[in-house]
Amino acid sequence: QLQLQESGPGLVKPSETLSLTCTVSGGSISSSIYYWAWIRQPPGKGPEWIASINYSGNTFYKPSLRSRVTISIDTSKSQFSLKLASVTAADTAIYYCARRTEQVVPRAYYFDYWGQGTLVTVSS
Amino acid sequence: EVVLTQSPGTLSLSPGERATLSCRASQSVGGNYLAWYQQKPGQAPRLLIYGASSRATGIPDKFSGSGSGTDFTLTISRLEPEDFAVYYCQQFGSSATFGQGTRLEIK
């Protein structure tokens, strides 16, 4: 059974960089049909996709966050990571890592595995 | 960016009833790129439906999805206590987006 586990600081100061890592176990991170994603959810609101990356390092970013976000992958450790720079209180949220699967025929995409999430609070 | 608007915001029904949840997109979404998720308090979202109408692995057939273009529907027949949760639609376009959610509560 595939499992994803987020790790990183739960408290970040304003203007600093938020850094999170997701460790994937129980399955391969290196498959062409998967992208690995970061998704966040502010308290009481809907989820917001942030960025995705595949095993070869191809990336997609939410346009409004692109200037502050870096996503990276280390296939040797089965991990992928998120860095979000210059954080403010608006970045306070539960951060999830998730797997995006591509179904080839018929073509479809979906987030089918999620980590349990980690709450990151931005406060001085 | 495609904006997804879900209605109603809150739906109050009794166990045994049928729930119909709506998701409207600000521009046409490829039907294969629309998914539905269920979220319970303190848990991550759980995939229910992908490709607008295909049930994910292990999802019972009381959950069904339909729609195309800009209008999509999630139907839950015969509500059971464990079905009361928040439901989100989500689309994969040039940038993935989620709706704001429909809270399904016990009447």
Side-chain angles (χ1 to χ4, degrees), chain A residues 41 62 96 103 107 109 111, chain B residues 1 32 37 39 50 92:
Chain A
Q41 187 170 27
K62 183 179 177 70
Y96 296 99
Q103 176 178 282
R107 187 173 296 279
Y109 302 98
F111 295 118
Chain B
E1 183 173 281
N32 288 346
Y37 301 83
Q39 188 176 33
Y50 66 92
F92 287 96

Side-chain angles (χ1 to χ4, degrees), chain B residues 21-70:
Chain B
L21 287 65
S22 175
C23 175
R24 177 162 291 178
S26 60
Q27 56 189 275
S28 185
V29 173
N32 288 346
Y33 301 158
L34 195 287
W36 289 92
Y37 301 83
Q38 176 194 67
Q39 188 176 33
K40 297 181 179 179
Q43 297 183 15
R46 171 195 180 199
L47 176 68
L48 298 176
I49 300 287
Y50 66 92
S53 60
S54 297
R55 275 185 298 278
T57 302
I59 302 303
D61 60 7
K62 65 179 177 180
F63 292 94
S64 62
S66 63
S68 63
T70 60

Side-chain angles (χ1 to χ4, degrees), chain A residues 12-31:
Chain A
V12 182
K13 290 182 168 56
S15 79
E16 295 189 343
T17 296
L18 178 160
S19 296
L20 295 173
T21 295
C22 181
T23 301
V24 179
S25 60
S28 175
I29 200 171
S30 300
S31 171

